[in-house]
Amino acid sequence: MLSTEQLIKDCVLFQSVTPDEMEELLSTSEWEEFSAGTRILDEGNSTRYLWIIQSGSCEVRKKLSNGNEQALAELSPLSIFGEMSFFKPAPHSASVVALTDVETVRIPGHDFDQMLKNGAQGAQKVVFNTVRIMSDRLRMMDKWTADMVESCGSRSKNAEWHDFRSKLYSEWQF
């Protein structure tokens, strides 16, 4: 298990969180272990936890239209997952499967909401850091998608991508 100091120092989620703020965040957190092969999150289900991997590795998987799953990412210690459903309750957009034995700490959504209501600085810092993490992920996804569309060399795909981006940034309501 990683120490509080290690989490603050090495996990982007807790950047600038003080030891006292970290103790408050961890006071309601839950530690859980999973064996290799265990599905921690299932796409389509809904739970409100923000997960931090303490040890081991996981794989993020997305269901395809043919019923198979596509691996999207491998997560290592200090990676987070579940943030999309944590901050906007909705079914999980992907599954997370333990590739090895995994130790996690998870922050329950209802307890985190109460900390925010009470003005807890540590919880506010976690929100800010999560926005930064999600922005970085979106930026990488934009680049990957644009590179993929460009490599197809199809004018219709380029037009579709341009239309999608226009709607994403101007028309869609969330």
Side-chain angles (χ1 to χ4, degrees), residues 103-116:
E103 293 180 356
T104 64
V105 61
R106 64 184 188 180
I107 301 171
H110 62 281
D111 293 331
F112 190 82
D113 291 345
Q114 191 59 51
M115 281 188 253
L116 284 174

Side-chain angles (χ1 to χ4, degrees), residues 147-161:
D147 289 348
M148 179 184 262
V149 169
E150 183 180 10
S151 71
C152 290
S154 163
R155 283 187 188 208
S156 66
K157 291 291 180 198
N158 286 338
E160 278 182 50
W161 172 240

Side-chain angles (χ1 to χ4, degrees), residues 39 43 61-64 66-71 95 97:
R39 296 179 75 82
E43 181 176 347
R61 300 177 182 173
K62 180 77 178 153
K63 287 181 189 170
L64 301 174
N66 65 7
N68 293 332
E69 287 184 320
Q70 172 68 50
S95 297
V97 179

Side-chain angles (χ1 to χ4, degrees), residues 30 47-51 81-83 85-86 106-110:
E30 303 166 358
T47 57
R48 282 205 56 225
Y49 289 100
L50 183 59
W51 304 76
F81 61 91
E83 71 280 359
S85 296
F86 184 76
R106 64 184 188 180
I107 301 171
H110 62 281

Side-chain angles (χ1 to χ4, degrees), residues 18-71:
T18 68
D20 288 342
E21 292 166 344
M22 188 65 169
E23 289 303 321
E24 182 179 15
L25 288 165
L26 293 178
S27 70
T28 62
S29 297
E30 303 166 358
W31 281 259
E32 197 165 3
E33 297 179 5
F34 299 93
S35 301
T38 303
R39 296 179 75 82
I40 300 171
L41 292 181
D42 272 317
E43 181 176 347
N45 288 349
S46 187
T47 57
R48 282 205 56 225
Y49 289 100
L50 183 59
W51 304 76
I52 303 99
I53 299 174
Q54 297 282 294
S55 67
S57 62
C58 296
E59 187 173 71
V60 180
R61 300 177 182 173
K62 180 77 178 153
K63 287 181 189 170
L64 301 174
S65 58
N66 65 7
N68 293 332
E69 287 184 320
Q70 172 68 50

